[in-house]
Amino acid sequence: MSAIVCQSALEAVSLIQSGETLWTHSMGATPRVLLDALAKHALTLENLTLLQLHTEGAESLSHPDLRGHLRHRCFFGGVPTRPLLQSGDADYVPIFLSEVPKLFRSGEQKIDTAIIQVSPPDKHGMCSLGISVEATLAACQVAGKIIAHINPQMPRTHGDGFIHIDRFAAVYEQSASLPIHAFATGDAVSLAIGKNVAELVRDGDCLQMGIGAIPDAVLSCLTEHKDLGVHTELFSDGILQLVEKGVINNSKKRFYPGKLVTGFALGSQKLYDYVDDNPAVIFMDIEQVNDTAIIRKNPNVMAINSALQVDLSGQVCADSIGTKIYSGVGGQMDFIRGAGLSEGGRSVIALPSTASGGAISRIAPVLSPGAGVVTTRAHVHYIVTEYGAANLRGRSLRERAQALINIAHPDFREQLCRDAFEVWGLSL
């Protein structure tokens, strides 16, 4: 059945009815044109639920007037949803990113309508999910209907993200720019962390990392390495720079050797131009990208992730500040476990030693009340700050506490030593 070709975004989303559960395409492919229209249409409806990962530029759906009309259900929080999550006006679902597609395909989480952004159809009628396949492919496979924004500026990417235009209930075509994230040059702390992490990276390693000042700083310190590979959730400009220098060639990988494997891309227009119709970059369903059984196939996996707080036993909180949800579980544990199972694999949690302008130590005697343990102390390997690296693998609680205090900010080390004894009974 042919899709309804709509003359406006509002016409396209008008197919949505009260009580529906919706999925929105996420990351750099957030369908902002359709979501802005949904913000208007939702005011005429009741009890909509919007499932999502991290979204870009979807602030219109966070307006207070939408209360009672639309409620966010987040597998990962971001700028548009963080205030709602922290005020109790949106719902947070803690879940490994690899499990989100399974939740859909198993029927545990129904989806009435998927709202997506795609490239124009090719001569075979196939549209591409472009720079973000993540869990959206699974959502489209189970959704009752799909509403698509066809964007001529969306790259046509290789891999899993193809959907025939006949699967769409309604389409609206409009050229719209994609969100741009500039490569972060990094402050002194990020650069120091980057150098410390880079010292742990070996030639031939297969990298996984995120976006932001610290991952960018790490990547900027890898220019003298050789034969690096990439199997990652996120493809960013820092990775592209190493591809262009020949540092990343994916030659040592066993899963898709010679190919860069990712779930989504976020960065500059140059990055989006690079992935457009490029068979060297494979965008895959995040259930596969983040599957530990697949990650471990590559030797020497080096998973580099961040955190908000680490306690003296090595427990890692990455999704909340106390009880206040900040982001999400994401794929951190998927890759930390995958790296641990990989032959020669290692994992790093990298974070600044302090927060709040130096007033708070991110290395704490215990996690703040309500803080979520994203990576357990049994899984953690390296913790890195601007003051060095602590290898916690196979270490006792006393050894861990000492190693972590050694990389804490000097202003807090004495107090942390006292806390280690008073809270944990550890004499250092």
Side-chain angles (χ1 to χ4, degrees), residues 25-32 54-56 117 129 131-132 134 151 154 177-181 234 264-267 272:
H25 209 163
S26 301
M27 316 300 178
T30 302
R32 292 173 292 169
H54 169 83
T55 55
E56 292 278 325
Q117 182 178 189
L129 291 172
I131 58 172
S132 199
E134 19 87 9
N151 185 359
M154 176 63 76
S177 59
L178 299 175
I180 300 297
H181 281 251
L234 172 64
F264 46 93
L266 194 59
Y272 302 150

Side-chain angles (χ1 to χ4, degrees), residues 307-328:
L308 296 168
Q309 189 180 42
V310 179
D311 75 11
L312 289 180
S313 75
Q315 294 186 116
V316 176
C317 174
D319 66 345
S320 69
I321 300 172
T323 59
K324 300 296 184 182
I325 301 303
Y326 186 83
S327 53

Side-chain angles (χ1 to χ4, degrees), residues 44-61:
T44 69
L45 306 175
E46 295 180 345
N47 298 323
L48 295 176
T49 300
L50 184 65
L51 309 174
Q52 64 206 268
L53 295 169
H54 169 83
T55 55
E56 292 278 325
E59 285 79 4
S60 63
L61 286 171

Side-chain angles (χ1 to χ4, degrees), residues 96 292 303 313-316 332-341 345-349 373-383 391-394 400:
F96 296 145
T292 57
S313 75
Q315 294 186 116
V316 176
Q332 181 173 121
M333 264 304 302
D334 293 331
F335 275 93
I336 284 181
R337 188 58 182 149
L341 295 170
R346 289 100 60 222
S347 65
V348 170
I349 296 292
V373 177
V374 171
T375 294
T376 76
R377 56 193 179 197
H379 289 99
V380 71
H381 194 166
Y382 289 99
I383 303 290
N391 183 357
L392 305 189
R393 184 174 171 84
R400 287 166 178 242

Side-chain angles (χ1 to χ4, degrees), residues 19-23 47-51 69-73:
E20 286 196 19
T21 297
L22 318 172
W23 167 263
N47 298 323
L48 295 176
T49 300
L50 184 65
L51 309 174
H69 300 283
L70 182 146
R71 187 172 179 89
H72 297 263
R73 187 173 178 86

Side-chain angles (χ1 to χ4, degrees), residues 146-160:
I146 303 171
I147 299 172
H149 167 204
I150 296 177
N151 185 359
Q153 295 192 46
M154 176 63 76
R156 178 185 183 273
T157 58
H158 288 243
D160 294 339

